Amino acid sequence: MPTLVRFCRALSREEGDPVRFITADKLLAAGFGRRPEFRTHIAELAGRPVGYTFDHDAYSSCYCERGIFLVDLYVVPRARRRGVARALLAAVARAGRRRRRTFIWWTSIPGNAGAHAFYAGIGAREFAVREHVLGTEAMATLAGGRG
């Protein structure tokens, strides 16, 4: 669990997101309880953890198929360009195929040219989309209640 927390926080820092919400207790309860909300893979090089993925199930209404939403793909800087990201995505794909999932969908930060080149190289299609997040307080307001 400490490795997963460390990696989640490192990715959040790189992307400019807050880290204060990422705790071992929350991840343990959500991912490793009776009904796990996510799956994770951890990659190692020479016996040391160097990257992770974080995903959950998704559904596409336009294809009427089940798939995977890849929330996080992170490799520590010293291990990048060594095949770790490819190995992690391959692990997600294999696990998805075992569960009869037909696609993996994810988003990326606009300025991450290295990641975009990697994604194109493995055959991923890129779509121009805008992400929208309704956070805790705004969601509560919309739902008619308080946070």
Side-chain angles (χ1 to χ4, degrees), residues 76-93:
V76 297
R78 66 177 159 53
R80 292 177 184 166
R81 299 190 183 282
R82 296 181 63 189
V84 175
R86 184 180 196 80
L88 282 165
L89 281 173
V92 171

Side-chain angles (χ1 to χ4, degrees), residues 18-105:
V19 298
R20 69 182 180 276
F21 302 110
I22 302 168
T23 68
D25 291 342
K26 286 181 177 180
L27 289 172
L28 187 62
F32 301 93
R34 287 182 22 169
R35 292 191 58 207
E37 297 289 337
F38 66 86
R39 286 168 300 278
T40 189
H41 292 87
I42 303 221
E44 294 181 345
L45 282 176
R48 298 186 68 199
V50 294
Y52 83 108
T53 62
F54 196 100
D55 72 76
H56 58 77
D57 287 334
Y59 189 83
S60 169
S61 60
C62 64
Y63 295 108
C64 292
E65 296 280 347
R66 290 184 175 138
I68 297 167
F69 180 71
L70 182 67
V71 180
D72 294 345
L73 170 61
Y74 176 76
V75 177
V76 297
R78 66 177 159 53
R80 292 177 184 166
R81 299 190 183 282
R82 296 181 63 189
V84 175
R86 184 180 196 80
L88 282 165
L89 281 173
V92 171
R94 284 190 300 274
R97 286 181 56 117
R98 283 193 298 271
R99 294 190 328 279
R100 296 196 167 130
R101 300 306 184 250
T102 62
F103 64 88
I104 302 172
W105 177 60

